[in-house]
Amino acid sequence: MAARGLVTFGSGRRIRLSSRYDSYHSQVLPFLAPLTTCRRASGLSKTIAKGSKAREEPTKKKKERKEFRRDDIKKALQFSLCDAMQYIRAFEVGRQPTSSKYELAISLKTLKNGPVVRNRLRLSNAVDTSERICVICPPDSPAAKAAIKAGASLVGEDTIFDAVKEGRIEFERCICHSDSAERLNKANLGRVLGPKGLMPSTKTGTVVKDVAASVRNMIGGSEYREKIGVIRLAIGQLGFTPEQMQQNIKEFMEMLKRDLTLLNEKINKEVHEVVSQS
């Protein structure tokens, strides 16, 4: 201690303390580590490292990009649909035609903040028909029989509620009949099904009167959503012909253009690049 109210470090730098804490630091100073906490009269604490500056110079923040970074496609290799399919099939030699799927990854020119593209469509050539659909409705009702006939894998009310509460979710899609919506809300399944995107609601069109028609539309249907400026969708199986792939791609791109047109009133979005992969 060079003088009352001063603490001297090994580098010779001296930091003035509040006189209120002089007696305290004079007692504990010999046992202090290279880090010493100095308290000021305002009550704020500041940690000073041995040999470091008392105040750090403020760093300039870099301007964040408002749009997602996109590569220059003029320098990238581009292929026709048939050539792209041949290259992808070469990497999937030995696999069953239904095990691997073609996928489109569509990059958008869009701002980072704003609404995203999200929709669902049923392609003419279904890609995945193994999706299990659950229908919540009275088990002995005509709607239940129609849902089973349309292809639903689970139908009922209390049995489904109990299974979900026990953690047994044996379906990928869930539809609720409008007459059973009140019982569904009383079951309090939103905490379980909500995070998984399986909770039926009128906003998503999964609380309906004609459950059989909804089941038929869901079988073979595909859902797509924009994520970090990219939309991905399984567009075909490995065994599809170029004509089937072309038809599916055409239907998807037409649907996507309609989605972008609806959003253009709020935010401008454009297709930048289309990549086929497996």
Side-chain angles (χ1 to χ4, degrees), residues 183-213:
R183 295 202 63 185
L184 175 63
N185 293 332
K186 290 182 179 179
N188 296 324
L189 302 181
R191 294 181 179 180
V192 181
L193 298 179
K196 300 180 182 297
L198 298 175
M199 186 64 182
S201 66
T202 54
K203 292 183 180 180
T204 57
T206 49
V207 177
V208 295
K209 291 185 177 181
D210 192 353
V211 292

Side-chain angles (χ1 to χ4, degrees), residues 155-171:
V155 175
E157 287 181 334
D158 294 334
T159 54
I160 297 176
F161 298 158
D162 296 338
V164 172
K165 290 178 181 179
E166 294 174 359
R168 293 184 288 109
I169 302 176
E170 300 173 345
F171 52 87

Side-chain angles (χ1 to χ4, degrees), residues 104 106 117 119 121 123-124 224 233 235 246-262 271:
L104 282 188
I106 301 177
V117 179
N119 207 339
L121 80 160
L123 299 171
S124 298
Y224 58 91
L233 178 71
I235 204 69
Q246 184 179 12
Q247 186 178 9
N248 282 359
I249 292 175
K250 184 179 180 181
E251 292 177 358
F252 174 47
M253 294 304 298
E254 289 177 353
M255 176 70 76
L256 180 59
K257 288 180 180 179
R258 287 196 292 268
D259 296 336
L260 297 179
T261 302
L262 294 175
V271 176

Side-chain angles (χ1 to χ4, degrees), residues 10-22:
S11 59
R13 183 180 293 108
R14 298 188 298 175
I15 306 298
R16 183 172 296 278
L17 303 176
S18 172
S19 59
R20 179 182 175 185
Y21 296 97
D22 288 353

Side-chain angles (χ1 to χ4, degrees), residues 33-213:
L35 288 179
T36 303
T37 301
C38 302
R39 297 185 178 274
R40 297 182 178 179
S42 61
L44 300 176
S45 63
K46 186 175 183 181
T47 303
I48 303 168
K50 181 178 180 180
S52 64
K53 294 183 179 180
R55 294 182 181 179
E56 295 181 356
E57 296 181 358
T59 57
K60 294 182 179 180
K61 293 184 179 180
K62 294 183 179 180
K63 293 183 178 180
E64 296 183 358
R65 296 178 61 91
K66 295 182 179 180
E67 297 183 353
F68 293 103
R69 188 184 297 275
R70 294 289 177 252
D71 297 329
D72 186 4
I73 60 176
K74 295 181 180 179
K75 300 179 181 179
L77 294 175
Q78 301 183 23
F79 303 92
S80 63
L81 176 62
C82 292
D83 292 340
M85 292 179 64
Q86 290 177 359
Y87 281 116
I88 293 176
R89 283 184 179 180
F91 286 101
E92 304 293 347
V93 173
R95 295 191 179 185
Q96 295 182 358
T98 57
S99 62
S100 300
K101 297 177 177 60
Y102 294 106
E103 184 182 68
L104 282 188
I106 301 177
S107 300
L108 301 177
K109 286 184 178 179
T110 178
L111 297 175
K112 292 183 178 181
N113 299 326
V116 298
V117 179
R118 180 178 180 179
N119 207 339
R120 184 178 178 85
L121 80 160
R122 189 174 186 275
L123 299 171
S124 298
N125 305 287
V127 180
D128 187 5
T129 57
S130 61
E131 196 173 47
R132 297 172 297 177
I133 300 175
C134 167
V135 176
I136 299 175
C137 64
D140 298 329
S141 64
K145 296 178 181 179
I148 294 174
K149 188 176 180 179
S153 57
L154 291 174
V155 175
E157 287 181 334
D158 294 334
T159 54
I160 297 176
F161 298 158
D162 296 338
V164 172
K165 290 178 181 179
E166 294 174 359
R168 293 184 288 109
I169 302 176
E170 300 173 345
F171 52 87
E172 287 78 33
R173 302 286 296 177
C174 186
I175 304 173
C176 179
H177 195 278
S178 55
D179 295 340
S180 301
E182 186 176 355
R183 295 202 63 185
L184 175 63
N185 293 332
K186 290 182 179 179
N188 296 324
L189 302 181
R191 294 181 179 180
V192 181
L193 298 179
K196 300 180 182 297
L198 298 175
M199 186 64 182
S201 66
T202 54
K203 292 183 180 180
T204 57
T206 49
V207 177
V208 295
K209 291 185 177 181
D210 192 353
V211 292

